[in-house]
Amino acid sequence: LLTESVLLTKTASAQGFLLDGGGSSLGTIRREKPSSPATVTLTSEADTVTVKVAIKLPDGAHVYSMSKAFSGRTRIDVKTVTGLEPVDADFKPSREPIAEFNEDFDQEVEYFEEEITWTRKYRIAKGSSASDVKVVGALRYQVCDDQSCRPYSDPFNLTLAATSPKFEQQIVPTLKSGGVEKPGPVAWTV
């Protein structure tokens, strides 16, 4: 937590700083980290596992795409993947970004408003089970409006829940007698 001593003004209060230290005009202020508008989840269906990154933005805000042409882009850095093999080469956005020339950056930039979700699919690796699955990384992005940008860095450490449903199949052999197929006397579940 970064703190510094300053003469407290209305400006510091308006910018989200909190005063520590007995109400004197000179105190220690600290800036509280705003809660992240992003969620990172790991879901599974059959042998497919999906990493999902969703950002819900406040009115008037935007977040940049993952386009490598812009240094201020959103980055989803996956550092460690255990028990999975990639299906997708990279994360895919749920929709196309808005693209326009930005005079401040002297280049075209891509961004999303309202909300955006990126997904990347994996499959469980041969010899691995759901309990082996682990994805570790960080989401780095900035939420901007017409006045400023606020950077975020959200680490994630994802595993499949131990309570994931088991995939079972019941096998019931049949007997054919007189041209009619009937269930046999034995059944088992695998």
Side-chain angles (χ1 to χ4, degrees), residues 35-60:
S35 62
S36 172
T39 57
V40 183
T41 56
L42 188 65
T43 60
S44 69
E45 185 176 315
D47 70 340
T48 301
V49 176
T50 303
V51 177
K52 178 179 166 184
V53 177
I55 302 176
K56 185 170 171 71
L57 299 163
D59 289 342

PDB file of all heavy atoms in Angstrom, residues 35-60:
ATOM      1  N   SER A  35     -12.200  -1.780  -7.137  1.00  0.00           N
ATOM      2  CA  SER A  35     -12.454  -3.183  -7.448  1.00  0.00           C
ATOM      3  C   SER A  35     -12.431  -3.369  -8.969  1.00  0.00           C
ATOM      4  O   SER A  35     -12.813  -2.494  -9.727  1.00  0.00           O
ATOM      5  CB  SER A  35     -13.786  -3.630  -6.863  1.00  0.00           C
ATOM      6  OG  SER A  35     -14.833  -2.881  -7.432  1.00  0.00           O
ATOM      7  N   SER A  36     -11.979  -4.523  -9.364  1.00  0.00           N
ATOM      8  CA  SER A  36     -11.820  -4.818 -10.784  1.00  0.00           C
ATOM      9  C   SER A  36     -13.177  -5.119 -11.422  1.00  0.00           C
ATOM     10  O   SER A  36     -13.977  -5.857 -10.859  1.00  0.00           O
ATOM     11  CB  SER A  36     -10.905  -6.026 -10.951  1.00  0.00           C
ATOM     12  OG  SER A  36     -10.884  -6.438 -12.295  1.00  0.00           O
ATOM     13  N   PRO A  37     -13.429  -4.594 -12.619  1.00  0.00           N
ATOM     14  CA  PRO A  37     -14.669  -4.929 -13.334  1.00  0.00           C
ATOM     15  C   PRO A  37     -14.566  -6.248 -14.100  1.00  0.00           C
ATOM     16  O   PRO A  37     -15.472  -6.600 -14.847  1.00  0.00           O
ATOM     17  CB  PRO A  37     -14.839  -3.742 -14.278  1.00  0.00           C
ATOM     18  CG  PRO A  37     -13.455  -3.284 -14.559  1.00  0.00           C
ATOM     19  CD  PRO A  37     -12.678  -3.531 -13.285  1.00  0.00           C
ATOM     20  N   ALA A  38     -13.469  -7.000 -13.918  1.00  0.00           N
ATOM     21  CA  ALA A  38     -13.230  -8.221 -14.685  1.00  0.00           C
ATOM     22  C   ALA A  38     -13.442  -9.473 -13.840  1.00  0.00           C
ATOM     23  O   ALA A  38     -13.230  -9.463 -12.627  1.00  0.00           O
ATOM     24  CB  ALA A  38     -11.806  -8.215 -15.234  1.00  0.00           C
ATOM     25  N   THR A  39     -13.849 -10.545 -14.515  1.00  0.00           N
ATOM     26  CA  THR A  39     -13.890 -11.871 -13.900  1.00  0.00           C
ATOM     27  C   THR A  39     -13.186 -12.837 -14.841  1.00  0.00           C
ATOM     28  O   THR A  39     -13.301 -12.728 -16.061  1.00  0.00           O
ATOM     29  CB  THR A  39     -15.327 -12.371 -13.650  1.00  0.00           C
ATOM     30  OG1 THR A  39     -16.034 -12.376 -14.890  1.00  0.00           O
ATOM     31  CG2 THR A  39     -16.056 -11.495 -12.649  1.00  0.00           C
ATOM     32  N   VAL A  40     -12.446 -13.762 -14.253  1.00  0.00           N
ATOM     33  CA  VAL A  40     -11.759 -14.788 -15.028  1.00  0.00           C
ATOM     34  C   VAL A  40     -12.224 -16.130 -14.469  1.00  0.00           C
ATOM     35  O   VAL A  40     -12.113 -16.373 -13.275  1.00  0.00           O
ATOM     36  CB  VAL A  40     -10.225 -14.663 -14.922  1.00  0.00           C
ATOM     37  CG1 VAL A  40      -9.542 -15.714 -15.795  1.00  0.00           C
ATOM     38  CG2 VAL A  40      -9.762 -13.269 -15.310  1.00  0.00           C
ATOM     39  N   THR A  41     -12.782 -16.992 -15.338  1.00  0.00           N
ATOM     40  CA  THR A  41     -13.322 -18.268 -14.878  1.00  0.00           C
ATOM     41  C   THR A  41     -12.832 -19.408 -15.769  1.00  0.00           C
ATOM     42  O   THR A  41     -12.386 -19.197 -16.890  1.00  0.00           O
ATOM     43  CB  THR A  41     -14.865 -18.259 -14.891  1.00  0.00           C
ATOM     44  OG1 THR A  41     -15.322 -17.937 -16.210  1.00  0.00           O
ATOM     45  CG2 THR A  41     -15.421 -17.256 -13.892  1.00  0.00           C
ATOM     46  N   LEU A  42     -12.949 -20.606 -15.227  1.00  0.00           N
ATOM     47  CA  LEU A  42     -12.578 -21.831 -15.921  1.00  0.00           C
ATOM     48  C   LEU A  42     -13.783 -22.759 -15.867  1.00  0.00           C
ATOM     49  O   LEU A  42     -14.298 -23.034 -14.787  1.00  0.00           O
ATOM     50  CB  LEU A  42     -11.373 -22.467 -15.218  1.00  0.00           C
ATOM     51  CG  LEU A  42     -10.678 -23.647 -15.862  1.00  0.00           C
ATOM     52  CD1 LEU A  42     -10.034 -23.244 -17.183  1.00  0.00           C
ATOM     53  CD2 LEU A  42      -9.615 -24.199 -14.928  1.00  0.00           C
ATOM     54  N   THR A  43     -14.276 -23.185 -17.026  1.00  0.00           N
ATOM     55  CA  THR A  43     -15.429 -24.077 -17.079  1.00  0.00           C
ATOM     56  C   THR A  43     -15.096 -25.296 -17.922  1.00  0.00           C
ATOM     57  O   THR A  43     -14.173 -25.258 -18.737  1.00  0.00           O
ATOM     58  CB  THR A  43     -16.668 -23.378 -17.678  1.00  0.00           C
ATOM     59  OG1 THR A  43     -16.350 -22.946 -19.011  1.00  0.00           O
ATOM     60  CG2 THR A  43     -17.077 -22.174 -16.841  1.00  0.00           C
ATOM     61  N   SER A  44     -15.859 -26.369 -17.704  1.00  0.00           N
ATOM     62  CA  SER A  44     -15.622 -27.568 -18.504  1.00  0.00           C
ATOM     63  C   SER A  44     -16.943 -28.155 -18.978  1.00  0.00           C
ATOM     64  O   SER A  44     -17.969 -28.043 -18.306  1.00  0.00           O
ATOM     65  CB  SER A  44     -14.848 -28.611 -17.700  1.00  0.00           C
ATOM     66  OG  SER A  44     -15.639 -29.132 -16.660  1.00  0.00           O
ATOM     67  N   GLU A  45     -16.857 -28.743 -20.155  1.00  0.00           N
ATOM     68  CA  GLU A  45     -17.985 -29.471 -20.732  1.00  0.00           C
ATOM     69  C   GLU A  45     -17.383 -30.633 -21.500  1.00  0.00           C
ATOM     70  O   GLU A  45     -16.596 -30.422 -22.436  1.00  0.00           O
ATOM     71  CB  GLU A  45     -18.793 -28.562 -21.652  1.00  0.00           C
ATOM     72  CG  GLU A  45     -20.040 -29.218 -22.189  1.00  0.00           C
ATOM     73  CD  GLU A  45     -20.868 -28.256 -23.029  1.00  0.00           C
ATOM     74  OE1 GLU A  45     -21.061 -27.108 -22.606  1.00  0.00           O
ATOM     75  OE2 GLU A  45     -21.304 -28.688 -24.106  1.00  0.00           O
ATOM     76  N   ALA A  46     -17.713 -31.846 -21.060  1.00  0.00           N
ATOM     77  CA  ALA A  46     -17.098 -33.060 -21.600  1.00  0.00           C
ATOM     78  C   ALA A  46     -15.579 -32.934 -21.422  1.00  0.00           C
ATOM     79  O   ALA A  46     -15.127 -32.680 -20.315  1.00  0.00           O
ATOM     80  CB  ALA A  46     -17.515 -33.298 -23.032  1.00  0.00           C
ATOM     81  N   ASP A  47     -14.793 -33.061 -22.502  1.00  0.00           N
ATOM     82  CA  ASP A  47     -13.337 -32.947 -22.347  1.00  0.00           C
ATOM     83  C   ASP A  47     -12.805 -31.578 -22.755  1.00  0.00           C
ATOM     84  O   ASP A  47     -11.611 -31.375 -22.869  1.00  0.00           O
ATOM     85  CB  ASP A  47     -12.627 -34.055 -23.139  1.00  0.00           C
ATOM     86  CG  ASP A  47     -12.730 -33.880 -24.642  1.00  0.00           C
ATOM     87  OD1 ASP A  47     -13.641 -33.159 -25.100  1.00  0.00           O
ATOM     88  OD2 ASP A  47     -11.901 -34.461 -25.362  1.00  0.00           O
ATOM     89  N   THR A  48     -13.714 -30.598 -22.973  1.00  0.00           N
ATOM     90  CA  THR A  48     -13.321 -29.239 -23.349  1.00  0.00           C
ATOM     91  C   THR A  48     -13.343 -28.336 -22.122  1.00  0.00           C
ATOM     92  O   THR A  48     -14.310 -28.310 -21.375  1.00  0.00           O
ATOM     93  CB  THR A  48     -14.264 -28.672 -24.426  1.00  0.00           C
ATOM     94  OG1 THR A  48     -14.215 -29.529 -25.567  1.00  0.00           O
ATOM     95  CG2 THR A  48     -13.847 -27.265 -24.832  1.00  0.00           C
ATOM     96  N   VAL A  49     -12.262 -27.602 -21.936  1.00  0.00           N
ATOM     97  CA  VAL A  49     -12.131 -26.657 -20.824  1.00  0.00           C
ATOM     98  C   VAL A  49     -11.973 -25.273 -21.439  1.00  0.00           C
ATOM     99  O   VAL A  49     -11.191 -25.083 -22.367  1.00  0.00           O
ATOM    100  CB  VAL A  49     -10.920 -27.008 -19.936  1.00  0.00           C
ATOM    101  CG1 VAL A  49     -10.729 -25.981 -18.842  1.00  0.00           C
ATOM    102  CG2 VAL A  49     -11.090 -28.412 -19.344  1.00  0.00           C
ATOM    103  N   THR A  50     -12.721 -24.287 -20.915  1.00  0.00           N
ATOM    104  CA  THR A  50     -12.693 -22.934 -21.462  1.00  0.00           C
ATOM    105  C   THR A  50     -12.267 -21.941 -20.393  1.00  0.00           C
ATOM    106  O   THR A  50     -12.837 -21.928 -19.299  1.00  0.00           O
ATOM    107  CB  THR A  50     -14.085 -22.539 -21.999  1.00  0.00           C
ATOM    108  OG1 THR A  50     -14.491 -23.503 -22.974  1.00  0.00           O
ATOM    109  CG2 THR A  50     -14.058 -21.158 -22.631  1.00  0.00           C
ATOM    110  N   VAL A  51     -11.266 -21.123 -20.732  1.00  0.00           N
ATOM    111  CA  VAL A  51     -10.900 -19.977 -19.889  1.00  0.00           C
ATOM    112  C   VAL A  51     -11.703 -18.799 -20.430  1.00  0.00           C
ATOM    113  O   VAL A  51     -11.646 -18.496 -21.623  1.00  0.00           O
ATOM    114  CB  VAL A  51      -9.397 -19.664 -19.925  1.00  0.00           C
ATOM    115  CG1 VAL A  51      -9.088 -18.424 -19.092  1.00  0.00           C
ATOM    116  CG2 VAL A  51      -8.587 -20.862 -19.448  1.00  0.00           C
ATOM    117  N   LYS A  52     -12.450 -18.146 -19.547  1.00  0.00           N
ATOM    118  CA  LYS A  52     -13.335 -17.040 -19.946  1.00  0.00           C
ATOM    119  C   LYS A  52     -12.949 -15.787 -19.161  1.00  0.00           C
ATOM    120  O   LYS A  52     -12.884 -15.809 -17.940  1.00  0.00           O
ATOM    121  CB  LYS A  52     -14.782 -17.430 -19.647  1.00  0.00           C
ATOM    122  CG  LYS A  52     -15.793 -16.375 -19.958  1.00  0.00           C
ATOM    123  CD  LYS A  52     -17.197 -16.909 -19.624  1.00  0.00           C
ATOM    124  CE  LYS A  52     -18.217 -15.823 -19.597  1.00  0.00           C
ATOM    125  NZ  LYS A  52     -19.536 -16.322 -19.195  1.00  0.00           N
ATOM    126  N   VAL A  53     -12.663 -14.708 -19.888  1.00  0.00           N
ATOM    127  CA  VAL A  53     -12.323 -13.417 -19.300  1.00  0.00           C
ATOM    128  C   VAL A  53     -13.424 -12.439 -19.698  1.00  0.00           C
ATOM    129  O   VAL A  53     -13.610 -12.162 -20.882  1.00  0.00           O
ATOM    130  CB  VAL A  53     -10.957 -12.909 -19.806  1.00  0.00           C
ATOM    131  CG1 VAL A  53     -10.655 -11.528 -19.249  1.00  0.00           C
ATOM    132  CG2 VAL A  53      -9.852 -13.898 -19.456  1.00  0.00           C
ATOM    133  N   ALA A  54     -14.157 -11.931 -18.713  1.00  0.00           N
ATOM    134  CA  ALA A  54     -15.269 -11.017 -18.980  1.00  0.00           C
ATOM    135  C   ALA A  54     -15.024  -9.695 -18.264  1.00  0.00           C
ATOM    136  O   ALA A  54     -14.642  -9.687 -17.095  1.00  0.00           O
ATOM    137  CB  ALA A  54     -16.587 -11.632 -18.516  1.00  0.00           C
ATOM    138  N   ILE A  55     -15.249  -8.585 -18.969  1.00  0.00           N
ATOM    139  CA  ILE A  55     -15.114  -7.247 -18.381  1.00  0.00           C
ATOM    140  C   ILE A  55     -16.418  -6.508 -18.631  1.00  0.00           C
ATOM    141  O   ILE A  55     -16.846  -6.359 -19.771  1.00  0.00           O
ATOM    142  CB  ILE A  55     -13.931  -6.456 -18.985  1.00  0.00           C
ATOM    143  CG1 ILE A  55     -12.624  -7.221 -18.789  1.00  0.00           C
ATOM    144  CG2 ILE A  55     -13.855  -5.060 -18.366  1.00  0.00           C
ATOM    145  CD1 ILE A  55     -11.416  -6.564 -19.435  1.00  0.00           C
ATOM    146  N   LYS A  56     -17.050  -6.068 -17.550  1.00  0.00           N
ATOM    147  CA  LYS A  56     -18.269  -5.265 -17.636  1.00  0.00           C
ATOM    148  C   LYS A  56     -17.887  -3.831 -17.282  1.00  0.00           C
ATOM    149  O   LYS A  56     -17.409  -3.568 -16.190  1.00  0.00           O
ATOM    150  CB  LYS A  56     -19.330  -5.798 -16.679  1.00  0.00           C
ATOM    151  CG  LYS A  56     -20.646  -5.095 -16.816  1.00  0.00           C
ATOM    152  CD  LYS A  56     -21.731  -5.818 -16.028  1.00  0.00           C
ATOM    153  CE  LYS A  56     -22.997  -5.051 -15.958  1.00  0.00           C
ATOM    154  NZ  LYS A  56     -23.765  -4.927 -17.121  1.00  0.00           N
ATOM    155  N   LEU A  57     -18.115  -2.934 -18.224  1.00  0.00           N
ATOM    156  CA  LEU A  57     -17.629  -1.553 -18.096  1.00  0.00           C
ATOM    157  C   LEU A  57     -18.734  -0.606 -17.642  1.00  0.00           C
ATOM    158  O   LEU A  57     -19.901  -0.775 -18.016  1.00  0.00           O
ATOM    159  CB  LEU A  57     -17.080  -1.077 -19.441  1.00  0.00           C
ATOM    160  CG  LEU A  57     -15.902  -1.894 -19.961  1.00  0.00           C
ATOM    161  CD1 LEU A  57     -15.695  -1.652 -21.430  1.00  0.00           C
ATOM    162  CD2 LEU A  57     -14.661  -1.559 -19.173  1.00  0.00           C
ATOM    163  N   PRO A  58     -18.368   0.436 -16.895  1.00  0.00           N
ATOM    164  CA  PRO A  58     -19.354   1.471 -16.548  1.00  0.00           C
ATOM    165  C   PRO A  58     -19.725   2.290 -17.789  1.00  0.00           C
ATOM    166  O   PRO A  58     -19.000   2.281 -18.790  1.00  0.00           O
ATOM    167  CB  PRO A  58     -18.625   2.327 -15.507  1.00  0.00           C
ATOM    168  CG  PRO A  58     -17.177   2.023 -15.656  1.00  0.00           C
ATOM    169  CD  PRO A  58     -17.060   0.676 -16.302  1.00  0.00           C
ATOM    170  N   ASP A  59     -20.842   2.987 -17.710  1.00  0.00           N
ATOM    171  CA  ASP A  59     -21.276   3.844 -18.824  1.00  0.00           C
ATOM    172  C   ASP A  59     -20.172   4.825 -19.200  1.00  0.00           C
ATOM    173  O   ASP A  59     -19.517   5.399 -18.335  1.00  0.00           O
ATOM    174  CB  ASP A  59     -22.535   4.627 -18.435  1.00  0.00           C
ATOM    175  CG  ASP A  59     -23.765   3.736 -18.342  1.00  0.00           C
ATOM    176  OD1 ASP A  59     -23.731   2.621 -18.898  1.00  0.00           O
ATOM    177  OD2 ASP A  59     -24.744   4.160 -17.716  1.00  0.00           O
ATOM    178  N   GLY A  60     -19.967   4.996 -20.497  1.00  0.00           N
ATOM    179  CA  GLY A  60     -18.985   5.960 -20.992  1.00  0.00           C
ATOM    180  C   GLY A  60     -17.554   5.466 -20.987  1.00  0.00           C
ATOM    181  O   GLY A  60     -16.638   6.197 -21.355  1.00  0.00           O
TER     182      GLY A  60
END
